[in-house]
Each structure stands twice: as C-alpha cells, then as structure tokens.
Amino acid sequence: QRLDLGNLHAYAPQTFADESGRRVLWAWMREGRSGRAQLRAGWSGAMALPRRMWLDEDGVVRMEPVAEVESLRGAALEWRQDGAVSRAEGRHVELALDADVPAGGVVRLAVFATDDGAEETVIELAAGEGGALVLSLDRSRSTLDEACDRTPRGGEVSWRGGSVPVRVFLDSSSVEVFAGGISLTARVYPTRAEATGIRVEASGGAEVSGVRGWALAAVEQADRVVDPQA
C-alpha cells in the first residue's frame, strides 16, 4: 500500500510510539519548485502534520492528523452559498466535510483559487461505474509559475461504503488531504495574493454535508534561530 498518494511530497517518513500507544508518523514535504526559487525564498522543505496511524479490520493502513492539531483552530470560516456551491476564503485553514459519492458521482474542492480561475488547485473524490473511490489532485492551474511542478497526483481510496470523512489542511504552499484515512500530500505555489478562494461542490448524484472550516494559528517559534552560525 502507498502510504501517501502525493508520492515524493511526503518523503522519508519516520514513526514512533508515544506514551499513549499511538503510532505517530512524521514526513517531510519536498519542494516542487526550482532550486533557484528555493534560494531566493531562503528556505526549502517543510514538515507535514504529525499523523496517527492505525490498521483497520481489513488490514488497510489509515492516517489522520493527531488530535493535538485541533488546538490550532481559530475563527470559524464564513461560508456563503452560491447555488449548489459553498464558498469561503482562506490560505491557512483546515476544512472538513462528509462526502457521499455513489457510482458516477464527484465531490470537488477548489482551493487557493482566484475569482477569474487563472489559479486554482482542485481536489476531487470520485467514484467510477464500479464504485471504486479515487482521490485526485489537479495542479495544472495551481500556479502561474511554469517552473513549478504541476503534475497530477492521486490514487484509490479503499472504503466500504457510506459517507467518507474528508479533511483538508492548507498552508501557503502545502496541501494535505485525508479522505477516509487515506492521505494525499503535495506542494503548490500560487503566485497571486488574491488566490484565497475555496469552493465546495458535488455532481453526478454525490452529496456533501457538514461543510465547515477554521483559520489555523501559526506554529513558528517567535525566537527560533534559523542559522546558529550566522
């Protein structure tokens, strides 16, 4: 089983058992931009959220962010309904919803989106005619910077049926998706400051419920020394 559907964007995973018996995984989110861009930014790479791992009754490895991540939740996002589309704004947020996806159905989340559609990153949970669920990430319009990696990512989500819990974490250049405990981690690099739009919609008989979200607090240490030798 692939531990993460984002391929090398969740790299070099390490795990440990904590004092409560949880198996916790850490991974490094590799870059998807040029070395020149990394030098210009002055930093490279980031850690993914720590994740609790477990084996379900079918022997499938599943993951979710550790419960402590919920302490970062700030103000609830303000959602507005535009026909069948739920809209909000945010670039450092947690999103959560429940998705019912029958055969032929699709639930689509557009994030880091501009109003004109020039930039957006699209997350889809879709079911084929056989009912198999596929989680995918379309980065073809995630950035106007052509030097950035924009290849698609995705794979199958093993699920017995019923609503699928979906959580999405966004943080400037990172996307972490958890669909039924199957994770997809990737990097995106929107260039426009107004690329903050969030859209949630369903089609083909799919339904979405319990759409919610929160702004996330920063975790950077104020007194952190980046280069002790400087």
Side-chain angles (χ1 to χ4, degrees):
Q1 178 187 337
R2 291 166 59 188
L3 281 182
D4 191 281
L5 301 180
N7 291 2
L8 292 179
H9 286 298
Y11 184 69
Q14 304 286 319
T15 77
F16 68 94
D18 71 5
E19 64 276 5
S20 69
R22 295 182 301 182
R23 174 61 57 177
V24 178
L25 178 144
W26 292 87
W28 176 43
M29 293 188 290
R30 295 179 65 172
E31 292 288 343
R33 56 184 173 172
S34 68
R36 184 184 297 275
Q38 295 169 52
L39 287 170
R40 187 165 57 245
W43 63 277
S44 176
M47 299 306 295
L49 292 170
R51 304 166 181 190
R52 179 180 75 90
M53 303 177 69
W54 73 96
L55 276 176
D56 72 9
E57 58 189 13
D58 295 321
V60 176
V61 178
R62 299 194 187 272
M63 288 184 277
E64 66 180 5
V66 294
E68 288 87 342
V69 169
E70 296 179 11
S71 67
L72 298 177
R73 290 176 178 173
L77 298 187
E78 295 184 6
W79 293 91
R80 61 188 185 278
Q81 206 65 29
D82 181 6
V85 181
S86 298
R87 297 179 181 271
E89 300 284 334
R91 203 157 180 163
H92 312 274
V93 299
E94 174 189 352
L95 308 173
L97 57 87
D98 296 304
D100 248 320
V101 191
V106 180
V107 169
R108 181 178 294 105
L109 291 82
V111 298
F112 295 130
T114 57
D115 287 341
D116 62 5
E119 286 190 335
E120 66 176 6
T121 297
V122 179
I123 303 159
E124 284 192 354
L125 187 62
E129 293 306 319
L133 278 176
V134 173
L135 176 64
S136 62
L137 184 71
D138 180 356
R139 298 187 293 173
S140 60
R141 289 187 292 171
S142 63
T143 179
L144 297 178
D145 184 349
E146 296 184 357
C148 291
D149 178 11
R150 292 182 290 180
T151 55
R153 292 286 183 260
E156 190 168 325
V157 174
S158 175
W159 193 250
R160 283 195 170 197
S163 292
V164 183
V166 178
R167 295 173 74 186
V168 178
F169 292 81
L170 309 176
D171 189 8
S172 292
S173 66
S174 67
V175 179
E176 297 183 64
V177 185
F178 300 85
I182 302 300
S183 64
L184 190 162
T185 305
R187 306 296 301 279
V188 297
Y189 303 91
T191 63
R192 293 170 58 173
E194 67 272 26
T196 60
I198 299 166
R199 300 194 312 273
V200 181
E201 57 188 311
S203 61
E207 295 183 358
V208 172
S209 59
V211 178
R212 54 210 187 277
W214 302 266
L216 292 178
V219 297
E220 188 74 19
Q221 295 170 264
D223 58 350
R224 176 170 176 254
V225 178
V226 177
D227 185 356
Q229 305 302 316

